[in-house]
Amino acid sequence: QVQLVESGGGLVQAGGSLRLSCAASGSIFSINDMGWYRQAPGKQRELVAAITRDGSTNYADSVKGRFTISRDNAKNTVYLQMNSLKPEDTAVYYCNAELRPAATFRRGDYWGQGTQVTVSL
């Protein structure tokens, strides 16, 4: 069974930093794009950053210059380094991966359980 497990959320003061990690586990044939989304109370889930298998990245305008996405293909892990955090970054952050499980080879979107990031003034 394929799972995405996130870690690294928490409470931080404005201007601080956090690093999120997300590891895909289980029997996986391949992983294509990976990314981070977030959802604040009363708002829709939005893309924060995404990265292709070869390392090309894409960021939401609101986080450009402050957040950095990276991945370790050997560990099936994606990271999100968040610097200069603002109160408006407060949300539940979800990891996403497009992958093919070894059992089915059927490509699909998988999600982590979410990790809370709270930025205080």
Side-chain angles (χ1 to χ4, degrees):
Q1 183 177 1
V2 174
Q3 286 186 315
L4 300 183
V5 179
E6 299 133 340
S7 60
L11 173 64
V12 65
Q13 286 189 327
S17 299
L18 283 174
R19 188 188 193 215
L20 305 182
S21 299
C22 172
S25 63
S27 186
I28 298 170
F29 177 72
S30 65
I31 302 177
N32 296 324
D33 295 351
M34 303 185 81
W36 290 93
Y37 289 71
R38 67 186 180 187
Q39 187 167 19
K43 294 188 177 182
Q44 288 188 329
R45 189 173 297 189
E46 64 175 358
L47 174 69
V48 176
I51 185 167
T52 65
R53 184 170 179 81
D54 64 4
S56 296
T57 59
N58 180 42
Y59 295 93
D61 288 343
S62 60
V63 307
K64 283 180 181 177
R66 300 187 298 122
F67 291 9
T68 302
I69 189 170
S70 61
R71 64 189 283 176
D72 184 334
N73 291 332
K75 296 181 179 179
N76 289 340
T77 299
V78 63
Y79 306 96
L80 186 68
Q81 178 66 44
M82 304 185 293
N83 298 328
S84 302
L85 282 160
K86 305 175 180 179
E88 50 263 45
D89 294 318
T90 295
V92 178
Y93 284 69
Y94 296 91
C95 172
N96 170 267
E98 182 190 81
L99 60 86
R100 293 181 188 271
T104 66
F105 293 98
R106 182 176 299 171
R107 186 174 61 187
D109 266 332
Y110 288 74
W111 293 88
Q113 78 284 359
T115 185
Q116 177 70 45
V117 171
T118 303
V119 185
S120 64
L121 288 170

